[in-house]
Amino acid sequence: MNAEIWFALAAANFAASVAPGQNVALVGSATARTGLVGGTAALLGILVAELIWSVLALTLAVTAREVSPILFTCLKAASGGFLFWLGMSLLREGPSAASDAAAPAGCFARFTLDGFWIGLANPLALIFFLSLFPGLVSDLGDTTDPMVLACCVSAILLSSAAGLAPWLVSSGALAKIGFARHLHVLSGGALLVMGVLVTFRLIS
Ligand SMILES: NC(=[NH2+])NCCC[C@H](N)C(=O)O
Protein backbone atom coordinates (compact mmCIF):
# COMPACT_ATOMS: atom_id res chain seq x y z
CA MET A 1 0.00 0.00 0.00
CA ASN A 2 1.57 3.28 -1.03
CA ALA A 3 1.19 6.74 0.46
CA GLU A 4 -1.10 7.83 -2.37
CA ILE A 5 -3.71 5.20 -1.56
CA TRP A 6 -3.39 5.95 2.16
CA PHE A 7 -4.12 9.63 1.57
CA ALA A 8 -6.95 8.89 -0.89
CA LEU A 9 -8.59 6.64 1.69
CA ALA A 10 -8.06 9.17 4.47
CA ALA A 11 -9.43 12.03 2.33
CA ALA A 12 -12.57 10.11 1.34
CA ASN A 13 -13.25 9.12 4.94
CA PHE A 14 -12.49 12.62 6.23
CA ALA A 15 -15.16 14.02 3.91
CA ALA A 16 -17.67 11.44 5.18
CA SER A 17 -16.71 12.00 8.79
CA VAL A 18 -16.82 15.81 8.82
CA ALA A 19 -20.32 15.84 7.23
CA PRO A 20 -23.08 16.46 9.80
CA GLY A 21 -24.82 13.33 11.02
CA GLN A 22 -25.51 11.37 14.17
CA ASN A 23 -21.83 11.07 15.15
CA VAL A 24 -21.45 14.84 14.92
CA ALA A 25 -24.68 15.43 16.87
CA LEU A 26 -23.57 13.14 19.69
CA VAL A 27 -20.17 14.82 19.98
CA GLY A 28 -21.92 18.22 20.12
CA SER A 29 -24.39 17.07 22.74
CA ALA A 30 -21.77 15.37 24.94
CA THR A 31 -19.57 18.49 24.75
CA ALA A 32 -22.51 20.75 25.63
CA ARG A 33 -23.23 18.64 28.70
CA THR A 34 -19.78 17.95 30.06
CA GLY A 35 -17.25 19.97 28.09
CA LEU A 36 -14.36 18.71 25.98
CA VAL A 37 -13.81 15.62 28.16
CA GLY A 38 -17.35 14.34 27.52
CA GLY A 39 -17.06 15.11 23.80
CA THR A 40 -13.74 13.25 23.63
CA ALA A 41 -15.30 10.26 25.44
CA ALA A 42 -18.06 10.14 22.80
CA LEU A 43 -15.46 10.47 20.03
CA LEU A 44 -13.48 7.52 21.44
CA GLY A 45 -16.61 5.34 21.45
CA ILE A 46 -17.28 6.30 17.83
CA LEU A 47 -13.70 5.40 16.86
CA VAL A 48 -14.04 1.93 18.43
CA ALA A 49 -17.17 1.38 16.29
CA GLU A 50 -15.33 2.61 13.17
CA LEU A 51 -12.46 0.23 13.98
CA ILE A 52 -14.93 -2.66 14.06
CA TRP A 53 -16.58 -1.55 10.80
CA SER A 54 -13.32 -1.18 8.93
CA VAL A 55 -11.86 -4.50 10.15
CA LEU A 56 -15.12 -6.29 9.30
CA ALA A 57 -15.30 -4.75 5.83
CA LEU A 58 -11.63 -5.58 5.13
CA THR A 59 -11.28 -9.07 6.57
CA LEU A 60 -14.69 -10.43 5.62
CA ALA A 61 -14.79 -8.29 2.45
CA VAL A 62 -18.48 -7.73 3.04
CA THR A 63 -20.17 -5.43 0.59
CA ALA A 64 -23.69 -4.01 0.61
CA ARG A 65 -24.81 -6.55 -1.99
CA GLU A 66 -23.86 -9.47 0.24
CA VAL A 67 -25.60 -8.25 3.36
CA SER A 68 -29.14 -9.55 3.61
CA PRO A 69 -31.84 -6.87 3.25
CA ILE A 70 -33.37 -8.18 6.48
CA LEU A 71 -30.16 -7.40 8.37
CA PHE A 72 -30.13 -3.90 6.85
CA THR A 73 -33.72 -3.35 7.94
CA CYS A 74 -32.97 -4.60 11.46
CA LEU A 75 -29.93 -2.34 11.71
CA LYS A 76 -31.92 0.67 10.54
CA ALA A 77 -34.76 -0.11 12.95
CA ALA A 78 -32.29 -0.45 15.84
CA SER A 79 -30.57 2.76 14.76
CA GLY A 80 -33.88 4.69 14.51
CA GLY A 81 -35.08 3.50 17.91
CA PHE A 82 -31.76 4.18 19.59
CA LEU A 83 -31.43 7.67 18.09
CA PHE A 84 -34.94 8.56 19.21
CA TRP A 85 -34.38 7.24 22.72
CA LEU A 86 -30.97 8.91 23.05
CA GLY A 87 -32.25 12.26 21.75
CA MET A 88 -35.17 12.13 24.18
CA SER A 89 -33.06 11.20 27.18
CA LEU A 90 -30.41 13.83 26.41
CA LEU A 91 -33.06 16.53 26.00
CA ARG A 92 -34.73 15.50 29.25
CA GLU A 93 -31.48 15.63 31.18
CA GLY A 94 -30.66 19.18 30.08
CA PRO A 95 -27.20 20.76 29.95
CA SER A 96 -26.93 20.70 33.75
CA ALA A 97 -23.32 19.62 33.96
CA ALA A 98 -21.80 22.18 31.63
CA SER A 99 -18.45 22.11 33.38
CA ASP A 100 -16.12 19.13 33.58
CA ALA A 101 -15.88 19.36 37.35
CA ALA A 102 -19.64 19.09 37.80
CA ALA A 103 -20.02 16.07 35.54
CA PRO A 104 -21.44 13.08 37.41
CA ALA A 105 -19.21 10.02 37.82
CA GLY A 106 -19.83 7.42 35.12
CA CYS A 107 -20.98 10.11 32.69
CA PHE A 108 -17.91 9.75 30.49
CA ALA A 109 -18.18 5.97 30.32
CA ARG A 110 -21.79 6.47 29.27
CA PHE A 111 -20.81 8.86 26.48
CA THR A 112 -18.18 6.38 25.27
CA LEU A 113 -20.81 3.66 25.17
CA ASP A 114 -23.33 5.94 23.45
CA GLY A 115 -20.61 6.84 20.92
CA PHE A 116 -19.96 3.17 20.31
CA TRP A 117 -23.62 2.35 19.55
CA ILE A 118 -24.19 5.56 17.58
CA GLY A 119 -21.10 4.81 15.46
CA LEU A 120 -21.99 1.16 14.96
CA ALA A 121 -25.62 1.76 13.97
CA ASN A 122 -24.87 4.76 11.77
CA PRO A 123 -26.59 4.40 8.37
CA LEU A 124 -23.93 6.66 6.82
CA ALA A 125 -21.20 4.38 8.18
CA LEU A 126 -23.03 1.43 6.61
CA ILE A 127 -23.05 3.19 3.26
CA PHE A 128 -19.40 4.17 3.57
CA PHE A 129 -17.97 0.87 4.81
CA LEU A 130 -20.14 -1.46 2.75
CA SER A 131 -20.42 0.52 -0.50
CA LEU A 132 -17.62 3.08 -0.93
CA PHE A 133 -14.85 1.49 1.10
CA PRO A 134 -14.72 -1.87 -0.80
CA GLY A 135 -14.25 0.09 -4.06
CA LEU A 136 -11.50 2.21 -2.57
CA VAL A 137 -9.49 -0.77 -1.32
CA SER A 138 -10.23 -3.16 -4.20
CA ASP A 139 -6.75 -2.74 -5.76
CA LEU A 140 -4.91 -3.56 -2.57
CA GLY A 141 -4.79 -7.32 -3.05
CA ASP A 142 -4.92 -9.23 0.19
CA THR A 143 -6.67 -6.91 2.65
CA THR A 144 -6.32 -9.51 5.41
CA ASP A 145 -2.52 -9.02 5.30
CA PRO A 146 -1.77 -7.42 8.71
CA MET A 147 0.30 -4.63 7.09
CA VAL A 148 -2.43 -3.65 4.62
CA LEU A 149 -5.02 -3.96 7.37
CA ALA A 150 -3.03 -1.73 9.72
CA CYS A 151 -2.52 0.91 7.00
CA CYS A 152 -6.21 1.02 6.05
CA VAL A 153 -7.38 1.08 9.66
CA SER A 154 -4.93 3.84 10.58
CA ALA A 155 -6.13 5.95 7.61
CA ILE A 156 -9.76 5.46 8.71
CA LEU A 157 -9.24 6.14 12.41
CA LEU A 158 -7.04 9.20 11.92
CA SER A 159 -9.34 10.76 9.34
CA SER A 160 -12.47 10.00 11.38
CA ALA A 161 -10.90 11.68 14.41
CA ALA A 162 -9.76 14.61 12.22
CA GLY A 163 -13.30 14.97 10.81
CA LEU A 164 -14.89 15.09 14.25
CA ALA A 165 -12.20 17.28 15.85
CA PRO A 166 -13.46 20.61 14.40
CA TRP A 167 -16.96 19.84 15.72
CA LEU A 168 -15.54 18.94 19.13
CA VAL A 169 -13.48 22.10 19.33
CA SER A 170 -16.23 24.41 18.07
CA SER A 171 -18.81 22.81 20.38
CA GLY A 172 -16.42 23.28 23.30
CA ALA A 173 -15.93 26.93 22.35
CA LEU A 174 -19.70 27.50 22.01
CA ALA A 175 -20.34 25.88 25.40
CA LYS A 176 -17.64 28.03 26.98
CA ILE A 177 -19.12 31.30 25.76
CA GLY A 178 -22.55 30.44 27.16
CA PHE A 179 -24.26 28.57 24.32
CA ALA A 180 -24.24 25.16 26.03
CA ARG A 181 -28.04 25.08 26.33
CA HIS A 182 -28.59 26.01 22.66
CA LEU A 183 -26.04 23.49 21.49
CA HIS A 184 -27.53 20.85 23.72
CA VAL A 185 -31.08 21.39 22.43
CA LEU A 186 -29.85 21.56 18.83
CA SER A 187 -27.82 18.34 18.93
CA GLY A 188 -30.28 16.40 21.15
CA GLY A 189 -33.10 17.55 18.84
CA ALA A 190 -31.07 16.55 15.77
CA LEU A 191 -30.62 13.01 17.17
CA LEU A 192 -34.34 12.79 17.89
CA VAL A 193 -35.34 14.04 14.43
CA MET A 194 -32.88 11.62 12.78
CA GLY A 195 -34.44 8.77 14.81
CA VAL A 196 -37.92 9.77 13.62
CA LEU A 197 -36.74 10.07 10.00
CA VAL A 198 -34.97 6.69 9.97
CA THR A 199 -38.04 5.00 11.50
CA PHE A 200 -40.45 6.87 9.23
CA ARG A 201 -38.53 5.87 6.11
CA LEU A 202 -38.57 2.26 7.23
CA ILE A 203 -42.32 2.08 7.70
CA SER A 204 -43.37 4.26 4.75
N1 LIG B 1 -16.31 6.96 8.97
C1 LIG B 1 -17.46 7.24 8.44
N2 LIG B 1 -17.52 7.44 7.20
N3 LIG B 1 -18.52 7.31 9.27
C2 LIG B 1 -19.78 7.87 8.91
C3 LIG B 1 -19.88 9.25 9.49
C4 LIG B 1 -21.14 9.90 9.13
C5 LIG B 1 -21.39 11.31 9.60
N4 LIG B 1 -20.26 12.17 9.55
C6 LIG B 1 -22.01 11.34 10.98
O1 LIG B 1 -21.58 12.08 11.80
O2 LIG B 1 -22.96 10.64 11.27
Side-chain angles (χ1 to χ4, degrees):
M1 185 179 187
N2 57 31
E4 244 169 76
I5 300 181
W6 194 95
F7 279 109
L9 197 55
N13 188 56
F14 175 79
S17 175
V18 80
Q22 63 196 56
N23 294 358
V24 167
L26 180 71
V27 168
S29 170
T31 311
R33 262 184 74 69
T34 54
L36 286 180
V37 187
T40 309
L43 191 146
L44 286 179
I46 293 168
L47 290 186
V48 175
E50 305 249 306
L51 172 72
I52 294 179
W53 268 124
S54 41
V55 171
L56 269 182
L58 287 166
T59 52
L60 303 180
V62 257
T63 60
R65 247 174 297 145
E66 289 155 85
V67 178
S68 109
I70 299 173
L71 183 65
F72 258 129
T73 310
C74 291
L75 271 170
K76 281 191 197 148
S79 164
F82 183 59
L83 282 170
F84 185 80
W85 171 81
L86 189 63
M88 279 292 270
S89 55
L90 284 172
L91 284 177
R92 260 209 310 259
E93 284 164 20
S96 49
S99 79
D100 294 351
C107 182
F108 303 125
R110 201 198 102 186
F111 280 134
T112 307
L113 203 64
D114 285 346
F116 175 71
W117 289 118
I118 280 280
L120 210 59
N122 189 330
L124 295 175
L126 284 185
I127 295 172
F128 183 83
F129 288 109
L130 301 182
S131 299
L132 298 172
F133 192 51
L136 287 168
V137 297
S138 61
D139 303 331
L140 292 179
D142 184 11
T143 49
T144 56
D145 172 352
M147 264 312 278
V148 177
L149 199 66
C151 277
C152 289
V153 169
S154 66
I156 292 293
L157 293 186
L158 279 174
S159 53
S160 287
L164 289 170
W167 293 103
L168 177 69
V169 174
S170 46
S171 304
L174 278 177
K176 252 211 171 97
I177 58 168
F179 286 104
R181 174 167 287 280
H182 302 80
L183 180 64
H184 180 79
V185 172
L186 189 76
S187 37
L191 286 169
L192 196 112
V193 169
M194 280 187 258
V196 173
L197 285 179
V198 171
T199 314
F200 186 73
R201 255 201 244 148
L202 261 185
I203 53 178
S204 62

mmCIF file of all heavy atoms in Angstrom, residues 27-35 90-91 94-99 170-188:
data_model
loop_
_atom_site.group_PDB
_atom_site.id
_atom_site.type_symbol
_atom_site.label_atom_id
_atom_site.label_comp_id
_atom_site.label_asym_id
_atom_site.label_seq_id
_atom_site.Cartn_x
_atom_site.Cartn_y
_atom_site.Cartn_z
ATOM 1 N N VAL A 27 -21.355 14.106 19.475
ATOM 2 C CA VAL A 27 -20.170 14.816 19.984
ATOM 3 C C VAL A 27 -20.578 16.209 20.479
ATOM 4 O O VAL A 27 -20.175 16.648 21.569
ATOM 5 C CB VAL A 27 -19.067 14.899 18.890
ATOM 6 C CG1 VAL A 27 -17.961 15.861 19.285
ATOM 7 C CG2 VAL A 27 -18.481 13.518 18.639
ATOM 8 N N GLY A 28 -21.444 16.889 19.730
ATOM 9 C CA GLY A 28 -21.924 18.217 20.124
ATOM 10 C C GLY A 28 -22.681 18.156 21.438
ATOM 11 O O GLY A 28 -22.451 18.951 22.355
ATOM 12 N N SER A 29 -23.558 17.182 21.545
ATOM 13 C CA SER A 29 -24.385 17.069 22.736
ATOM 14 C C SER A 29 -23.539 16.721 23.974
ATOM 15 O O SER A 29 -23.717 17.299 25.052
ATOM 16 C CB SER A 29 -25.447 15.994 22.487
ATOM 17 O OG SER A 29 -26.109 15.692 23.645
ATOM 18 N N ALA A 30 -22.620 15.771 23.810
ATOM 19 C CA ALA A 30 -21.768 15.372 24.936
ATOM 20 C C ALA A 30 -20.895 16.547 25.378
ATOM 21 O O ALA A 30 -20.680 16.763 26.577
ATOM 22 C CB ALA A 30 -20.899 14.181 24.537
ATOM 23 N N THR A 31 -20.417 17.334 24.410
ATOM 24 C CA THR A 31 -19.574 18.490 24.753
ATOM 25 C C THR A 31 -20.405 19.563 25.458
ATOM 26 O O THR A 31 -19.945 20.184 26.422
ATOM 27 C CB THR A 31 -18.909 19.072 23.479
ATOM 28 O OG1 THR A 31 -18.316 18.012 22.753
ATOM 29 C CG2 THR A 31 -17.850 20.098 23.824
ATOM 30 N N ALA A 32 -21.653 19.745 24.990
ATOM 31 C CA ALA A 32 -22.512 20.754 25.627
ATOM 32 C C ALA A 32 -22.781 20.370 27.086
ATOM 33 O O ALA A 32 -22.865 21.218 27.964
ATOM 34 C CB ALA A 32 -23.829 20.866 24.867
ATOM 35 N N ARG A 33 -22.916 19.083 27.332
ATOM 36 C CA ARG A 33 -23.231 18.643 28.701
ATOM 37 C C ARG A 33 -22.024 18.646 29.623
ATOM 38 O O ARG A 33 -22.120 19.073 30.759
ATOM 39 C CB ARG A 33 -23.817 17.241 28.672
ATOM 40 C CG ARG A 33 -25.330 17.223 28.743
ATOM 41 C CD ARG A 33 -25.849 15.829 28.814
ATOM 42 N NE ARG A 33 -25.638 15.197 30.129
ATOM 43 C CZ ARG A 33 -26.253 15.554 31.231
ATOM 44 N NH1 ARG A 33 -27.121 16.546 31.224
ATOM 45 N NH2 ARG A 33 -26.017 14.937 32.368
ATOM 46 N N THR A 34 -20.897 18.162 29.130
ATOM 47 C CA THR A 34 -19.779 17.945 30.056
ATOM 48 C C THR A 34 -18.450 18.496 29.559
ATOM 49 O O THR A 34 -17.398 18.115 30.069
ATOM 50 C CB THR A 34 -19.617 16.430 30.333
ATOM 51 O OG1 THR A 34 -19.499 15.777 29.081
ATOM 52 C CG2 THR A 34 -20.802 15.858 31.068
ATOM 53 N N GLY A 35 -18.490 19.365 28.572
ATOM 54 C CA GLY A 35 -17.246 19.969 28.095
ATOM 55 C C GLY A 35 -16.440 19.039 27.201
ATOM 56 O O GLY A 35 -16.922 17.980 26.783
ATOM 57 N N LEU A 90 -31.349 12.702 26.285
ATOM 58 C CA LEU A 90 -30.409 13.831 26.407
ATOM 59 C C LEU A 90 -31.187 15.136 26.617
ATOM 60 O O LEU A 90 -30.817 15.959 27.454
ATOM 61 C CB LEU A 90 -29.542 13.936 25.156
ATOM 62 C CG LEU A 90 -28.418 12.904 25.046
ATOM 63 C CD1 LEU A 90 -27.758 12.966 23.684
ATOM 64 C CD2 LEU A 90 -27.376 13.122 26.131
ATOM 65 N N LEU A 91 -32.276 15.300 25.870
ATOM 66 C CA LEU A 91 -33.060 16.535 26.002
ATOM 67 C C LEU A 91 -33.688 16.633 27.389
ATOM 68 O O LEU A 91 -33.760 17.713 27.973
ATOM 69 C CB LEU A 91 -34.149 16.589 24.927
ATOM 70 C CG LEU A 91 -33.664 16.948 23.523
ATOM 71 C CD1 LEU A 91 -34.819 16.897 22.543
ATOM 72 C CD2 LEU A 91 -33.026 18.335 23.497
ATOM 73 N N GLY A 94 -31.046 17.767 30.094
ATOM 74 C CA GLY A 94 -30.659 19.180 30.077
ATOM 75 C C GLY A 94 -29.172 19.361 30.254
ATOM 76 O O GLY A 94 -28.478 18.447 30.704
ATOM 77 N N PRO A 95 -28.652 20.541 29.878
ATOM 78 C CA PRO A 95 -27.203 20.757 29.952
ATOM 79 C C PRO A 95 -26.760 21.132 31.354
ATOM 80 O O PRO A 95 -26.087 22.122 31.562
ATOM 81 C CB PRO A 95 -26.979 21.905 28.966
ATOM 82 C CG PRO A 95 -28.247 22.669 28.997
ATOM 83 C CD PRO A 95 -29.350 21.736 29.391
ATOM 84 N N SER A 96 -27.191 20.327 32.366
ATOM 85 C CA SER A 96 -26.927 20.700 33.750
ATOM 86 C C SER A 96 -25.447 20.718 34.108
ATOM 87 O O SER A 96 -24.987 21.575 34.825
ATOM 88 C CB SER A 96 -27.656 19.737 34.685
ATOM 89 O OG SER A 96 -27.379 18.421 34.264
ATOM 90 N N ALA A 97 -24.726 19.725 33.567
ATOM 91 C CA ALA A 97 -23.319 19.620 33.955
ATOM 92 C C ALA A 97 -22.433 20.243 32.885
ATOM 93 O O ALA A 97 -21.694 19.562 32.206
ATOM 94 C CB ALA A 97 -22.956 18.165 34.159
ATOM 95 N N ALA A 98 -22.547 21.532 32.716
ATOM 96 C CA ALA A 98 -21.805 22.177 31.630
ATOM 97 C C ALA A 98 -20.307 22.267 31.893
ATOM 98 O O ALA A 98 -19.527 22.502 30.993
ATOM 99 C CB ALA A 98 -22.363 23.561 31.371
ATOM 100 N N SER A 99 -19.891 22.080 33.122
ATOM 101 C CA SER A 99 -18.446 22.114 33.376
ATOM 102 C C SER A 99 -17.940 20.714 33.705
ATOM 103 O O SER A 99 -18.670 19.902 34.263
ATOM 104 C CB SER A 99 -18.139 23.046 34.542
ATOM 105 O OG SER A 99 -18.407 22.379 35.742
ATOM 106 N N SER A 170 -15.275 23.298 18.168
ATOM 107 C CA SER A 170 -16.226 24.414 18.075
ATOM 108 C C SER A 170 -17.359 24.253 19.078
ATOM 109 O O SER A 170 -17.844 25.246 19.631
ATOM 110 C CB SER A 170 -16.753 24.603 16.650
ATOM 111 O OG SER A 170 -17.118 23.379 16.102
ATOM 112 N N SER A 171 -17.768 23.009 19.358
ATOM 113 C CA SER A 171 -18.807 22.808 20.380
ATOM 114 C C SER A 171 -18.280 23.243 21.739
ATOM 115 O O SER A 171 -18.996 23.880 22.521
ATOM 116 C CB SER A 171 -19.213 21.335 20.475
ATOM 117 O OG SER A 171 -19.635 20.864 19.248
ATOM 118 N N GLY A 172 -17.023 22.892 22.023
ATOM 119 C CA GLY A 172 -16.416 23.284 23.297
ATOM 120 C C GLY A 172 -16.372 24.797 23.425
ATOM 121 O O GLY A 172 -16.681 25.361 24.479
ATOM 122 N N ALA A 173 -16.016 25.470 22.317
ATOM 123 C CA ALA A 173 -15.928 26.935 22.348
ATOM 124 C C ALA A 173 -17.317 27.542 22.552
ATOM 125 O O ALA A 173 -17.487 28.465 23.350
ATOM 126 C CB ALA A 173 -15.314 27.434 21.040
ATOM 127 N N LEU A 174 -18.332 26.993 21.859
ATOM 128 C CA LEU A 174 -19.703 27.505 22.010
ATOM 129 C C LEU A 174 -20.193 27.326 23.445
ATOM 130 O O LEU A 174 -20.817 28.226 24.013
ATOM 131 C CB LEU A 174 -20.647 26.757 21.057
ATOM 132 C CG LEU A 174 -20.692 27.235 19.618
ATOM 133 C CD1 LEU A 174 -21.606 26.350 18.796
ATOM 134 C CD2 LEU A 174 -21.179 28.685 19.547
ATOM 135 N N ALA A 175 -19.905 26.150 24.023
ATOM 136 C CA ALA A 175 -20.340 25.884 25.399
ATOM 137 C C ALA A 175 -19.664 26.858 26.363
ATOM 138 O O ALA A 175 -20.287 27.339 27.311
ATOM 139 C CB ALA A 175 -20.023 24.441 25.774
ATOM 140 N N LYS A 176 -18.417 27.139 26.086
ATOM 141 C CA LYS A 176 -17.644 28.026 26.976
ATOM 142 C C LYS A 176 -18.178 29.450 26.977
ATOM 143 O O LYS A 176 -18.167 30.125 28.002
ATOM 144 C CB LYS A 176 -16.180 28.037 26.527
ATOM 145 C CG LYS A 176 -15.306 27.282 27.483
ATOM 146 C CD LYS A 176 -13.892 27.849 27.539
ATOM 147 C CE LYS A 176 -13.157 27.189 28.681
ATOM 148 N NZ LYS A 176 -12.350 26.079 28.223
ATOM 149 N N ILE A 177 -18.652 29.913 25.813
ATOM 150 C CA ILE A 177 -19.124 31.305 25.761
ATOM 151 C C ILE A 177 -20.627 31.417 26.071
ATOM 152 O O ILE A 177 -21.268 32.404 25.752
ATOM 153 C CB ILE A 177 -18.775 32.003 24.415
ATOM 154 C CG1 ILE A 177 -19.377 31.236 23.226
ATOM 155 C CG2 ILE A 177 -17.280 32.189 24.254
ATOM 156 C CD1 ILE A 177 -19.316 32.004 21.913
ATOM 157 N N GLY A 178 -21.177 30.352 26.649
ATOM 158 C CA GLY A 178 -22.550 30.435 27.164
ATOM 159 C C GLY A 178 -23.634 29.881 26.261
ATOM 160 O O GLY A 178 -24.815 30.112 26.500
ATOM 161 N N PHE A 179 -23.233 29.119 25.213
ATOM 162 C CA PHE A 179 -24.262 28.570 24.323
ATOM 163 C C PHE A 179 -24.502 27.082 24.567
ATOM 164 O O PHE A 179 -25.019 26.390 23.691
ATOM 165 C CB PHE A 179 -23.879 28.808 22.857
ATOM 166 C CG PHE A 179 -24.060 30.230 22.421
ATOM 167 C CD1 PHE A 179 -22.965 31.071 22.269
ATOM 168 C CD2 PHE A 179 -25.338 30.741 22.197
ATOM 169 C CE1 PHE A 179 -23.124 32.398 21.890
ATOM 170 C CE2 PHE A 179 -25.509 32.065 21.809
ATOM 171 C CZ PHE A 179 -24.399 32.896 21.664
ATOM 172 N N ALA A 180 -24.107 26.594 25.758
ATOM 173 C CA ALA A 180 -24.237 25.158 26.029
ATOM 174 C C ALA A 180 -25.681 24.697 25.872
ATOM 175 O O ALA A 180 -25.948 23.655 25.279
ATOM 176 C CB ALA A 180 -23.728 24.843 27.438
ATOM 177 N N ARG A 181 -26.627 25.477 26.395
ATOM 178 C CA ARG A 181 -28.038 25.075 26.329
ATOM 179 C C ARG A 181 -28.520 24.989 24.866
ATOM 180 O O ARG A 181 -29.149 24.004 24.479
ATOM 181 C CB ARG A 181 -28.891 26.073 27.119
ATOM 182 C CG ARG A 181 -30.382 25.827 26.996
ATOM 183 C CD ARG A 181 -31.136 26.624 28.034
ATOM 184 N NE ARG A 181 -30.971 26.073 29.369
ATOM 185 C CZ ARG A 181 -31.658 25.026 29.822
ATOM 186 N NH1 ARG A 181 -32.540 24.445 29.053
ATOM 187 N NH2 ARG A 181 -31.463 24.563 31.040
ATOM 188 N N HIS A 182 -28.172 26.007 24.061
ATOM 189 C CA HIS A 182 -28.590 26.013 22.657
ATOM 190 C C HIS A 182 -28.018 24.807 21.912
ATOM 191 O O HIS A 182 -28.712 24.123 21.171
ATOM 192 C CB HIS A 182 -28.122 27.292 21.953
ATOM 193 C CG HIS A 182 -28.631 28.540 22.590
ATOM 194 N ND1 HIS A 182 -28.062 29.084 23.713
ATOM 195 C CD2 HIS A 182 -29.678 29.324 22.280
ATOM 196 C CE1 HIS A 182 -28.726 30.166 24.051
ATOM 197 N NE2 HIS A 182 -29.719 30.333 23.200
ATOM 198 N N LEU A 183 -26.725 24.587 22.156
ATOM 199 C CA LEU A 183 -26.036 23.486 21.488
ATOM 200 C C LEU A 183 -26.648 22.150 21.900
ATOM 201 O O LEU A 183 -26.852 21.248 21.084
ATOM 202 C CB LEU A 183 -24.551 23.529 21.871
ATOM 203 C CG LEU A 183 -23.660 22.463 21.269
ATOM 204 C CD1 LEU A 183 -23.595 22.618 19.761
ATOM 205 C CD2 LEU A 183 -22.253 22.565 21.851
ATOM 206 N N HIS A 184 -26.954 22.072 23.181
ATOM 207 C CA HIS A 184 -27.529 20.852 23.723
ATOM 208 C C HIS A 184 -28.883 20.547 23.074
ATOM 209 O O HIS A 184 -29.143 19.431 22.640
ATOM 210 C CB HIS A 184 -27.688 21.024 25.234
ATOM 211 C CG HIS A 184 -28.272 19.837 25.892
ATOM 212 N ND1 HIS A 184 -27.533 18.725 26.183
ATOM 213 C CD2 HIS A 184 -29.539 19.573 26.267
ATOM 214 C CE1 HIS A 184 -28.320 17.819 26.729
ATOM 215 N NE2 HIS A 184 -29.550 18.313 26.792
ATOM 216 N N VAL A 185 -29.740 21.571 23.013
ATOM 217 C CA VAL A 185 -31.076 21.394 22.427
ATOM 218 C C VAL A 185 -30.950 21.072 20.933
ATOM 219 O O VAL A 185 -31.621 20.175 20.418
ATOM 220 C CB VAL A 185 -31.942 22.655 22.663
ATOM 221 C CG1 VAL A 185 -33.259 22.567 21.901
ATOM 222 C CG2 VAL A 185 -32.202 22.845 24.150
ATOM 223 N N LEU A 186 -30.040 21.768 20.266
ATOM 224 C CA LEU A 186 -29.852 21.558 18.829
ATOM 225 C C LEU A 186 -29.382 20.126 18.532
ATOM 226 O O LEU A 186 -29.958 19.433 17.689
ATOM 227 C CB LEU A 186 -28.825 22.568 18.304
ATOM 228 C CG LEU A 186 -28.672 22.625 16.801
ATOM 229 C CD1 LEU A 186 -29.863 23.366 16.194
ATOM 230 C CD2 LEU A 186 -27.381 23.334 16.410
ATOM 231 N N SER A 187 -28.355 19.667 19.262
ATOM 232 C CA SER A 187 -27.822 18.342 18.932
ATOM 233 C C SER A 187 -28.723 17.223 19.451
ATOM 234 O O SER A 187 -28.913 16.218 18.755
ATOM 235 C CB SER A 187 -26.383 18.180 19.412
ATOM 236 O OG SER A 187 -26.186 18.810 20.630
ATOM 237 N N GLY A 188 -29.327 17.404 20.651
ATOM 238 C CA GLY A 188 -30.279 16.400 21.149
ATOM 239 C C GLY A 188 -31.479 16.320 20.215
ATOM 240 O O GLY A 188 -31.935 15.235 19.855
#
